[in-house]
């Protein structure tokens, strides 16, 4: 054993290992771990419509219980485990139940979601099922290196999109290979994680993604970020975090068409009930 | 300078042993010429160096020499004596003499050696189709071949990496002094036609896989990238603690230290920074991989600013040529680029190679070609503008000279 040292043992800066964290993740209620956000397609002269249902898995319950900071490696590990569970549940035809295109994610959903064929009486306890019932493709955040092997069961909207983290593009050729595989399996591919900071010094345009997900901040108006942004096709940008009219106006002025944020989440509540609902 | 000339210059710059060296270099040039012109040649290689010792002496040896003799005297063929004792002959097709001698040699070995040994010792090759095999034989004869004892792929660890395994590995690390496991590789300046390599500064790297093999024998760290990253950070902190010991910091040269972003904010780094001799300040580069930078872009920017304010250099470490298209080194605030040599790098003359050359710093002291294990890497590097090289090949040459 090469590890001998005069250094006094240091207390490990990690929480004590209670059962197994992976087992705890496997036991979490998937519904409570997946955030669902509506991404809207907004175009002058056209009715607003739902562009994507944006699913993001996060083991927040466990993270809080363990007092982990959201950006820590351990908490991102747990998030990935949940994301993989989500993908598995989405890919399993057995979870699509009833005549309507309702995806129930495992037993927990069938237990809590007393929905039948899209009667419209969605309970608050089954928001995921209700969301997935919408006629919009899913955009699912997945771990780097996820290989999506098969198409989603029919009824889950049009071409789903695998949203991969920025680090998955570290080798753009490897990203292209993963993207090609995803397309063969009937998925589109998005690159997550672009911000005013990263656009200032990254050149994402060679990345073989169908969509680039950019998070809004005031700093996007700055020179370096704007220069980076102008290299991307605005029709392939999804602008998230648009909580203000200013953010929306900025995006529209750059010909961006797909938006998400608190604003769209609220607006879309009525939208999902009547897809041609009025949004000023 | 053409690629062919540069290959020859690499051999000249690296090989100091005069015995048989020039013939090996001539043979390498001949092989390259056949590749460039498409002219066909047949080659007979007699690898006396791999012959079992008993067959290398006495009448066995005399039989082989006698069989080979016509190739030395014929005007149709050209014979090369390689530095390790191997023999090589080249003849234009139809190479009757080469075929004849091959049969004689096989006959001479037939009685005493197993057929698989004969096949290893006597090789009949065709140029330009089998140029790579001949070049490999030359490199081996010159002692330049990549070591064949490449680490055997470890048996796939049975279990996926779990948080529990991470915690116990971190406990093991908390007790460990990793600095003895830190390998130093000299980054050497090597110019075309400029003589022997000149060591300038060191890369100090830990063999992550080896340490994992010791503390996590049953788990595969690659199966959980975020846990792997946390383990890597724990190692970084132990390395920094080890380097901060008075004897270790006294031995420190101008260096490139690869770290994770998280390690830069650690108390271990603060201590290292406080103890760093004034002479070394400005001469330590901290290296981040492209993947690490993209895993935490905000953390990266903060770490970069912290390091630059304290006069460290910041290096971008890449393995894939295309990474530099995504992360332009200068815009991202790096001082130098470390590219790891590998088979996946674009061939000279391709559009990909031109794009890579454009993306690299156009300054010899800002770009290092690392993990160089064969002369072809240096020939490639020179063409791409590299003058700084590190890796096993440079270590061997440095120690030999």
């Amino acid at each position: 054993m090469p590890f001998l040292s005069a250094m006094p043992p240091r207390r490990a800066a990690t929480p004590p290992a209670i059962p197994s964290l992976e087992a705890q993740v496997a036991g979490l209620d998937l519904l409570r771990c997946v955030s669902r956000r509506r991404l809207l397609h907004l175009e002058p002269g056209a009715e607003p419509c739902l562009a994507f249902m944006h699913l993001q898995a996060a083991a927040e319950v466990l993270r809080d219980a363990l007092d982990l900071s959201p950006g820590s490696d351990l908490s991102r590990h747990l998030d990935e485990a949940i994301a993989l569970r989500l993908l598995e549940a989405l890919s399993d035809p057995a979870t699509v139940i009833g005549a309507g295109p309702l995806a129930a994610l495992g037993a927990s959903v069938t237990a809590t979601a007393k929905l039948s064929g899209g009667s419209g009486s969605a309970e608050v306890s089954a928001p995921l099922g209700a969301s997935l019932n919408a006629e919009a493709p899913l955009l699912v955040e997945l771990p780097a290196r996820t290989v999506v092997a098969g198409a989603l069961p029919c009824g889950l909207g049009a071409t789903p999109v695998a949203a991969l983290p920025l680090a998955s593009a570290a080798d753009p050729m490897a990203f292209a290979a993963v993207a090609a595989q995803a397309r063969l399996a009937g998925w589109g591919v998005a690159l997550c994680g672009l911000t005013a900071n990263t656009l200032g010094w990254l050149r994402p345009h060679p990345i073989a993604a169908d969509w680039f997900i950019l998070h809004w901040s005031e700093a996007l108006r700055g020179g370096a970020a704007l220069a980076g942004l102008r290299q991307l096709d605005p029709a392939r940008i999804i602008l998230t975090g648009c909580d203000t009219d200013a953010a929306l106006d900025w995006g529209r002025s750059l010909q961006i068409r797909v938006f998400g944020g608190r604003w769209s989440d609220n607006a879309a509540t009525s939208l999902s009930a009547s897809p041609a609902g009025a949004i000023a | 300078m053409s690629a062919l000339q540069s290959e020859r210059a690499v051999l000249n710059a690296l090989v100091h042993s005069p015995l048989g060296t020039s013939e090996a270099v001539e043979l390498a040039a001949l092989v390259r010429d056949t590749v460039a012109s498409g002219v066909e040649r047949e080659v007979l290689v007699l690898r006396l160096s791999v012959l079992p010792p008993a067959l290398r002496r006495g009448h066995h040896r005399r039989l082989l020499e006698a069989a080979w003799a016509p190739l030395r005297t014929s005007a149709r063929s050209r014979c090369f004596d390689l530095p390790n004792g191997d023999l090589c002959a080249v003849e234009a097709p139809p190479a009757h003499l080469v075929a004849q001698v091959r049969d004689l040699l096989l006959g001479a070995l037939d009685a005493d050696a197993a057929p698989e040994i004969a096949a290893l010792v006597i090789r009949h090759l065709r140029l330009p189709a089998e140029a790579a095999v001949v070049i490999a034989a030359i490199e081996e004869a010159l002692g330049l071949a990549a070591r064949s004892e490449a680490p055997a792929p470890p048996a796939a660890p049975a279990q996926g990496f779990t948080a529990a395994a991470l915690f116990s590995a971190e406990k093991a690390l908390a007790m460990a002094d990793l600095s003895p496991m830190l390998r130093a590789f000299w980054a050497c300046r090597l110019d075309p036609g400029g003589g022997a390599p000149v060591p300038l500064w060191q890369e100090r790297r830990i063999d992550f896989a080896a340490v994992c093999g010791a503390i996590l024998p049953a788990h595969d760290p690659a199966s959980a990238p975020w846990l792997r990253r946390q383990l890597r950070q724990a190692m970084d902190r132990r390395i920094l603690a080890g380097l901060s010991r008075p004897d270790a910091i006294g031995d420190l040269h101008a260096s490139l230290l690869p770290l994770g972003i998280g390690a830069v904010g650690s108390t271990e780094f603060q201590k290292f920074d406080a103890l760093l001799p004034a002479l070394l300040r400005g001469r330590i580069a901290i290296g981040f991989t492209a993947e690490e930078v993209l895993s935490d872009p905000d953390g990266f920017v903060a770490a970069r600013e912290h390091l630059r304010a304290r006069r460290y250099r910041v290096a971008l470490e890449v393995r894939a040529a295309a990474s530099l298209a995504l992360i332009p080194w200068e815009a991202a605030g790096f001082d130098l680029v470390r590219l790891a040599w590998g088979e996946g790098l674009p061939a000279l003359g391709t559009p990909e190679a031109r794009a890579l050359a454009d993306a690299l710093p156009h300054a010899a002291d800002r770009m290092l070609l690392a993990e160089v294990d064969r002369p072809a890497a240096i020939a490639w590097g020179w063409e791409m503008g590299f003058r700084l090289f590190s890796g096993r090949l440079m270590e061997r040459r440095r120690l030999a000279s």
Side-chain angles (χ1 to χ4, degrees):
Chain A
M1 186 73 182
F3 303 107
L4 296 169
S5 169
M7 302 295 291
R10 212 165 41 89
R11 202 177 63 82
T14 42
I18 339 159
S20 136
L21 286 184
E22 286 77 10
Q24 293 188 52
V25 168
L28 289 178
D29 177 359
L30 201 50
L31 279 178
R32 293 180 60 207
C33 301
V34 179
S35 76
R36 303 153 291 275
R37 298 212 175 85
R38 294 163 173 83
L39 300 174
L40 300 189
H41 187 100
L42 302 180
E43 195 158 3
E47 292 293 340
C49 60
L50 205 51
F52 292 104
M53 188 57 64
H54 182 183
L55 303 187
Q56 186 182 10
E60 266 173 63
V61 189
L62 199 52
R63 180 200 303 160
D64 293 345
L66 295 170
D67 200 20
L68 297 170
S69 72
S72 70
D73 293 332
L74 195 54
S75 113
R76 288 165 87 170
H77 169 68
L78 300 178
D79 292 349
E80 284 201 348
I82 285 282
L84 290 175
R85 270 191 65 197
L86 172 63
L87 179 63
E88 201 180 331
L90 289 174
S91 309
D92 183 359
T95 60
V96 179
I97 56 165
L102 174 68
L105 302 179
S108 60
V109 176
T110 44
T112 53
K114 297 195 182 64
L115 289 172
S116 55
S119 65
S121 63
E123 295 182 11
V124 188
S125 62
L128 184 56
S131 308
L132 296 179
N133 202 13
E135 299 282 316
L138 300 181
L139 183 140
V140 190
E141 291 201 18
L142 294 171
R145 283 174 283 234
T146 307
V147 177
V148 286
L152 292 184
C154 57
L156 283 183
T159 312
V161 175
L164 300 171
L166 203 52
S168 64
D171 177 354
M173 305 293 278
F175 184 93
V178 170
Q181 227 164 353
R183 288 188 192 108
L184 274 179
W187 288 64
V189 178
L191 182 67
C192 296
L194 294 176
T195 61
N197 167 24
T198 51
L199 274 184
W201 46 270
L202 285 184
R203 302 283 174 272
H205 63 279
I207 301 301
D210 306 305
W211 295 95
F212 295 90
I213 303 177
L214 171 65
H215 198 81
W216 158 260
S217 70
E218 273 295 329
L220 275 173
R221 299 180 194 274
L226 206 54
L229 187 65
R230 287 197 193 284
Q231 299 182 21
L232 295 175
D233 175 5
R236 291 163 60 197
I237 294 176
I238 297 172
L239 191 64
T240 58
C242 289
D243 295 341
T244 63
D245 287 347
L248 259 175
D249 291 342
W250 178 87
R252 282 165 157 163
S253 75
L254 286 171
Q255 319 300 321
I256 293 172
R257 295 283 173 259
V258 182
F259 300 87
R262 262 207 304 276
W263 171 88
S264 69
D265 289 338
N266 296 336
T269 313
S270 54
L271 186 75
S272 64
S274 60
I279 292 179
Chain B
M1 190 169 62
S2 78
L4 299 178
Q5 285 166 326
S6 84
E7 180 103 6
R8 200 164 160 184
V10 173
L11 293 173
N12 276 328
L14 287 171
V15 176
H16 306 299
S17 149
L19 193 69
T21 299
S22 64
E23 291 199 28
V25 173
E26 289 304 315
L27 176 58
L30 185 150
V31 173
R32 292 293 172 186
D33 287 345
T34 65
V35 172
S37 60
V39 172
E40 293 187 1
R41 291 284 181 274
E42 294 192 26
V43 181
L44 189 63
V45 185
L46 177 58
R47 298 177 66 203
L48 294 168
S49 61
V50 298
L51 208 57
L55 296 179
R56 230 180 282 168
R57 289 186 293 268
H59 83 280
H60 297 289
R61 178 62 178 256
R62 280 193 297 277
L63 272 176
L64 294 174
E65 294 278 3
W68 187 266
L71 289 168
R72 292 190 187 279
T73 50
S74 166
R76 285 185 49 83
S77 65
R78 192 168 163 199
C79 176
F80 299 85
D81 287 277
L82 300 180
N84 63 345
D86 288 358
L87 298 171
C88 202
V90 182
E91 185 182 0
H96 297 306
L97 189 57
V98 156
Q100 202 180 337
V101 170
R102 178 200 60 206
D103 294 341
L104 280 174
L105 290 168
L106 286 171
L109 278 182
D110 197 25
D112 305 300
E116 59 269 23
I117 296 209
L120 202 65
V121 173
I122 300 162
R123 307 209 53 184
H124 185 183
L125 302 163
R126 277 166 187 79
L127 293 175
E130 293 174 289
V133 182
V134 180
I135 288 288
I138 298 170
E139 288 181 2
E140 193 184 314
L142 289 170
L144 295 173
R147 257 186 289 184
S148 53
E149 78 237 34
Q159 304 164 37
F161 194 17
T162 60
L166 170 71
F167 298 150
S168 68
E170 283 184 317
K171 275 191 204 114
L173 276 177
M175 311 284 287
D177 180 4
L178 293 183
S179 51
M181 304 186 84
L182 213 51
R183 297 274 313 274
F185 295 95
W186 280 97
C188 299
R189 171 111 194 178
L190 188 64
D191 287 293
V198 182
L200 295 179
W201 43 268
Q202 288 185 326
E203 286 192 76
R204 303 292 296 267
R205 315 186 78 82
I206 197 150
D207 186 341
F208 183 83
V211 179
C212 288
I215 59 177
L216 276 172
H219 298 267
D220 174 16
S223 66
W226 292 109
L227 298 185
R228 183 183 187 282
R229 186 168 185 261
Q230 185 164 331
L231 183 62
R232 168 73 208 273
Q233 188 183 333
M235 284 190 202
D236 285 346
R237 296 172 67 162
R238 296 309 304 154
I239 290 166
L240 287 165
L243 284 175
S244 304
R245 291 200 328 269
D247 53 328
I249 209 153
D251 280 346
L252 198 60
H253 294 81
S255 295
L256 168 65
L257 293 177
L259 290 179
I261 286 163
V264 174
S266 68
T267 51
E268 286 83 355
F269 187 85
Q270 278 173 28
K271 188 177 170 206
F272 171 80
D273 179 59
L275 292 170
L276 192 66
L279 266 176
L280 278 178
R281 199 164 286 283
R283 305 185 64 205
I284 303 289
I286 304 298
F288 299 126
T289 63
E291 196 169 13
E292 176 70 4
V293 165
L294 297 178
S295 291
D296 182 7
D298 293 340
F300 157 68
V301 169
R304 182 192 69 196
E305 293 312 305
H306 179 72
L307 290 170
R308 299 187 69 133
R310 312 199 63 78
R311 295 184 49 220
Y312 293 90
R313 300 175 81 204
V314 187
L316 173 61
E317 304 197 342
V318 293
R319 301 199 153 265
S323 300
L324 288 172
L326 174 68
I327 310 178
W329 68 277
E330 197 165 18
F334 289 99
D335 300 294
L336 71 151
V337 172
R338 176 200 193 263
L339 177 65
W341 161 256
E343 294 301 326
L345 293 175
L348 292 175
T350 58
E352 291 79 15
R354 280 191 289 279
L356 173 59
D358 285 343
L360 284 166
H362 299 280
D365 59 342
R366 289 185 181 275
M367 47 201 271
L368 167 72
L369 188 62
E371 299 178 26
V372 165
D373 60 2
R374 50 182 305 180
I378 295 175
W380 183 91
W382 276 346
E383 293 292 319
M384 300 297 291
F386 286 94
R387 296 295 180 268
L388 293 178
F389 299 91
S390 70
R392 285 204 307 256
L393 179 59
M394 306 312 290
E395 290 305 300
R396 285 211 298 286
R397 289 299 109 194
R398 203 179 53 76
L399 295 173
S401 59

